[in-house]
PDB file of all heavy atoms in Angstrom:
ATOM      1  N   SER A 227       9.856  11.503  -4.170  1.00 82.00           N
ATOM      2  CA  SER A 227       9.067  10.288  -3.983  1.00 82.00           C
ATOM      3  C   SER A 227       9.919   9.073  -4.365  1.00 82.00           C
ATOM      4  O   SER A 227      10.933   9.198  -5.054  1.00 82.00           O
ATOM      5  CB  SER A 227       7.807  10.324  -4.843  1.00 82.00           C
ATOM      6  OG  SER A 227       8.149  10.169  -6.203  1.00 82.00           O
ATOM      7  N   ILE A 234       6.566   9.746 -15.420  1.00 93.00           N
ATOM      8  CA  ILE A 234       6.137  10.896 -14.610  1.00 93.00           C
ATOM      9  C   ILE A 234       7.345  11.707 -14.169  1.00 93.00           C
ATOM     10  O   ILE A 234       7.355  12.944 -14.263  1.00 93.00           O
ATOM     11  CB  ILE A 234       5.327  10.419 -13.383  1.00 93.00           C
ATOM     12  CG1 ILE A 234       3.931   9.971 -13.820  1.00 93.00           C
ATOM     13  CG2 ILE A 234       5.206  11.534 -12.338  1.00 93.00           C
ATOM     14  CD1 ILE A 234       3.051  11.080 -14.360  1.00 93.00           C
ATOM     15  N   THR A 272      11.706   6.464 -26.367  1.00 95.00           N
ATOM     16  CA  THR A 272      12.819   7.042 -27.123  1.00 95.00           C
ATOM     17  C   THR A 272      12.464   8.371 -27.779  1.00 95.00           C
ATOM     18  O   THR A 272      13.327   9.245 -27.899  1.00 95.00           O
ATOM     19  CB  THR A 272      13.305   6.055 -28.203  1.00 95.00           C
ATOM     20  OG1 THR A 272      12.195   5.664 -29.021  1.00 95.00           O
ATOM     21  CG2 THR A 272      13.919   4.817 -27.563  1.00 95.00           C
ATOM     22  N   ILE A 390      12.220  45.341 -31.704  1.00 91.00           N
ATOM     23  CA  ILE A 390      12.597  45.464 -33.117  1.00 91.00           C
ATOM     24  C   ILE A 390      11.717  46.492 -33.816  1.00 91.00           C
ATOM     25  O   ILE A 390      12.205  47.340 -34.577  1.00 91.00           O
ATOM     26  CB  ILE A 390      12.497  44.094 -33.808  1.00 91.00           C
ATOM     27  CG1 ILE A 390      13.614  43.177 -33.305  1.00 91.00           C
ATOM     28  CG2 ILE A 390      12.576  44.238 -35.334  1.00 91.00           C
ATOM     29  CD1 ILE A 390      13.494  41.743 -33.764  1.00 91.00           C
ATOM     30  N   ILE A 419       8.099  41.325 -13.318  1.00 82.00           N
ATOM     31  CA  ILE A 419       7.374  40.614 -12.261  1.00 82.00           C
ATOM     32  C   ILE A 419       7.558  39.108 -12.420  1.00 82.00           C
ATOM     33  O   ILE A 419       7.873  38.388 -11.463  1.00 82.00           O
ATOM     34  CB  ILE A 419       5.870  40.975 -12.298  1.00 82.00           C
ATOM     35  CG1 ILE A 419       5.680  42.452 -11.952  1.00 82.00           C
ATOM     36  CG2 ILE A 419       5.081  40.093 -11.337  1.00 82.00           C
ATOM     37  CD1 ILE A 419       4.275  42.970 -12.200  1.00 82.00           C
TER      38      ILE A 419
END
Side-chain angles (χ1 to χ4, degrees):
S227 71
I234 286 294
T272 54
I390 290 172
I419 294 170

